[in-house]
């Protein structure tokens, strides 16, 4: 349980960010703009959510997927000048992970928080569930 009544994962995460005086940006690889659409709806003035960029994951040649997610989160945090950067990376089939595996990263003022999670293997649901899972990682991290 992350909220009550009409709260969404976005509004809960935004509330925690505001409480700490943090702003957030995201590197969207597998989410392809879904996160941005949901966040601009929840924070229309973009006071806390400062934006995102849709990027292509560099793949296995750029290192393991957990490190790629952490690097993407750090890079977007620096580019947007925010306290928090978020990213999710789905490894390539050649990397040996099953379909639907996703690596998530939150960079909070330079501290990396990562996790991996099995998502539904179909692309549509994997993208949607990854947005919620990424916000959930941030929510749990900020709640401690």
């Amino acid at each position: 349980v992350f909220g009550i009544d009409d709260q969404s994962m976005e509004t809960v995460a935004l509330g925690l960010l505001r409480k700490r005086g943090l702003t957030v940006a995201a590197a969207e690889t597998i989410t392809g703009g879904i996160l941005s659409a949901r966040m601009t709806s929840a924070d229309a003035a973009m006071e806390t959510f400062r934006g995102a960029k849709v990027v292509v994951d560099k793949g296995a040649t750029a290192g393991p997927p957990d490190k790629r997610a952490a690097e993407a989160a750090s890079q977007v945090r620096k580019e947007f000048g925010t306290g928090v950067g978020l990213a999710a990376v789905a490894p390539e089939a050649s990397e040996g992970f099953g379909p639907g595996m996703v690596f998530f990263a939150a960079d909070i003022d330079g501290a990396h928080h990562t996790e991996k999670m099995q998502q539904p293997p179909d692309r549509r649901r994997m993208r949607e569930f990854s947005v919620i899972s990424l916000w959930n990682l941030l929510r749990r991290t900020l709640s401690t």
Side-chain angles (χ1 to χ4, degrees):
V1 176
F2 61 85
I4 56 173
D5 297 328
D6 292 332
Q7 289 180 313
S8 67
M9 188 64 79
E10 293 87 357
T11 60
V12 170
L14 283 169
L16 290 168
L17 289 163
R18 287 181 184 125
K19 184 177 178 182
R20 292 191 179 207
L22 293 169
T23 54
V24 63
E28 296 202 62
T29 57
I30 65 168
T31 54
I34 295 171
L35 185 145
S36 297
R38 291 176 67 154
M39 286 310 295
T40 54
S41 177
D43 185 15
M46 295 182 75
E47 295 170 348
T48 303
F49 177 67
R50 296 296 170 86
K53 63 185 219 174
V54 176
V55 296
V56 176
D57 177 38
K58 295 177 179 124
T61 59
D66 59 330
K67 302 289 187 220
R68 296 194 316 264
E71 176 57 34
S74 292
Q75 185 175 356
V76 77
R77 180 182 66 80
K78 291 172 188 170
E79 284 181 32
F80 281 82
T82 61
V84 178
L86 301 173
V89 169
E92 299 171 348
S94 65
E95 292 181 85
F97 297 96
M101 183 60 69
V102 180
F103 290 79
F104 302 97
D107 177 327
I108 303 172
D109 289 327
H112 294 110
H113 306 273
T114 60
E115 69 182 17
K116 68 179 180 178
M117 184 179 296
Q118 185 70 42
Q119 303 289 12
D122 67 276
R123 190 77 172 165
R124 184 189 62 77
R125 288 189 307 156
M126 181 172 58
R127 293 174 68 203
E128 292 283 347
F129 289 14
S130 290
V131 169
I132 294 297
S133 298
L134 193 53
W135 285 117
N136 193 43
L137 169 62
L138 180 62
R139 178 193 64 82
R140 289 189 337 265
T141 303
L142 293 177
S143 295
T144 58

